[in-house]
């Protein structure tokens, strides 16, 4: 599959948050996290020199990659000739993916740059109707936060929003010494599988607002952190408003949003 072994190595660029994985067994392990069900296409974000890509290309599914780094794109074109037509030289966060996928479902995978990893999750949530599965590598503490449950110190906005629509599972930890250059922290691989029924019984936009506003002042009770909603005294007397946001499960945040919906 790799046709040009003499092609020069791509230099990692700090401003792009690049840390190239150089452990083949871990790359294969990440590629194997996807179930490959309910979709025909995979989109890998930030493939770099294709250490993960090569294992995706062996699978019975169509792999696309999206890469903003021109040098990496040239490397991939030279080394993975069959992939060339499916290399998208764009910024994932700004690009309209339906230009490629036409409303069809697809999975997301990648060794995500730390500096945009949470934004990748937020865009995935926006496109949840099309993304039944998502797996990839984050800074370890971010991966743990996404998968954490209520009561945890790291439970927050990402935890609640991701788990409202997806089942989140922390899969394994990756040490820093398998990257070039090595990051200063460990990495963690997680998987999100969309729930069978991921339609919330409340307004999604309001749900996002409630969750974000609650955690922006996470040390305060909901009675204080949600003041800007101008809720009725009757509603604020509800016992749930005496809790802090990290005490609420995802289901309780949904119920809280329903209460606010009726009150506003």
């Amino acid at each position: 599959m790799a046709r040009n072994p003499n092609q020069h190595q791509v230099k990692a660029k700090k401003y792009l948050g690049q840390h190239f994985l150089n452990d083949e067994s871990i790359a294969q392990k990440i590629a194997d996290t996807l179930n490959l069900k309910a979709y025909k296409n995979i989109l890998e974000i930030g493939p770099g020199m294709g250490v993960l890509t090569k294992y995706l290309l062996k699978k019975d599914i169509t792999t696309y990659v999206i890469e903003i780094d021109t040098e990496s794109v040239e490397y991939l074109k030279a080394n993975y000739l069959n992939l060339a037509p499916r290399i998208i030289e764009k910024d994932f966060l700004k690009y309209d993916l339906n230009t490629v996928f036409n409303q069809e479902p697809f999975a997301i995978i990648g060794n995500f740059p730390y500096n945009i990893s949470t934004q990748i999750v937020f865009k995935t949530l926006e496109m949840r109707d099309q993304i039944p599965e998502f797996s990839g590598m984050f800074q370890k503490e971010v991966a743990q936060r996404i998968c954490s449950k209520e009561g945890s110190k790291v439970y927050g906005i990402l935890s609640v929003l991701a788990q409202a629509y997806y089942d989140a599972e922390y899969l394994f930890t990756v040490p820093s010494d398998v990257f070039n250059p090595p990051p200063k922290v460990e990495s963690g691989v997680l998987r999100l599988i969309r729930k069978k029924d991921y339609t919330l019984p409340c307004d999604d936009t309001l749900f996002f607002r409630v969750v974000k506003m609650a955690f922006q002042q996470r040390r305060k009770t909901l009675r204080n952190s949600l003041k800007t909603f101008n809720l009725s005294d009757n509603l604020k007397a509800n016992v749930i408003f005496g809790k802090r946001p990290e005490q609420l499960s995802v289901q309780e945040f949904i119920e809280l949003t329903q209460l606010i919906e009726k009150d506003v």
Side-chain angles (χ1 to χ4, degrees), residues 17-23 26-27 29-30 110-115 117 135-147 169-191:
Q18 289 176 328
H19 296 276
F20 294 130
L21 179 66
N22 55 28
D23 186 304
I26 293 175
K29 197 174 174 183
I30 295 170
N111 169 22
F112 306 127
Y114 289 163
N115 56 352
S117 62
S135 69
M137 185 151 48
F138 293 77
Q139 184 175 333
K140 182 181 178 181
E141 65 176 33
V142 176
Q144 288 176 325
R145 185 182 310 140
I146 293 168
C147 299
E169 183 182 4
Y170 185 93
L171 299 176
F172 55 91
T173 300
V174 180
S176 59
D177 61 5
V178 298
F179 295 91
N180 180 32
K184 294 177 181 177
V185 293
E186 288 184 315
S187 300
V189 176
L190 63 77
R191 176 173 56 215

Side-chain angles (χ1 to χ4, degrees), residues 171-234:
L171 299 176
F172 55 91
T173 300
V174 180
S176 59
D177 61 5
V178 298
F179 295 91
N180 180 32
K184 294 177 181 177
V185 293
E186 288 184 315
S187 300
V189 176
L190 63 77
R191 176 173 56 215
L192 303 177
I193 298 178
R194 194 176 60 198
K195 295 180 176 181
K196 286 182 180 178
D197 182 7
Y198 62 95
T199 305
L200 301 189
C202 64
D203 180 78
D204 292 273
T205 303
L206 181 60
F207 176 71
F208 272 62
R209 277 184 63 207
V210 169
V211 173
K212 288 180 178 179
M213 199 168 289
F215 279 105
Q216 279 168 3
Q217 302 181 74
R218 63 181 299 141
R219 292 185 179 182
K220 293 186 177 181
T221 63
L222 296 170
R223 193 171 288 116
N224 291 313
S225 61
L226 300 180
K227 269 183 178 177
T228 54
F229 282 103
N230 294 318
L231 302 171
S232 67
D233 290 338
N234 186 47

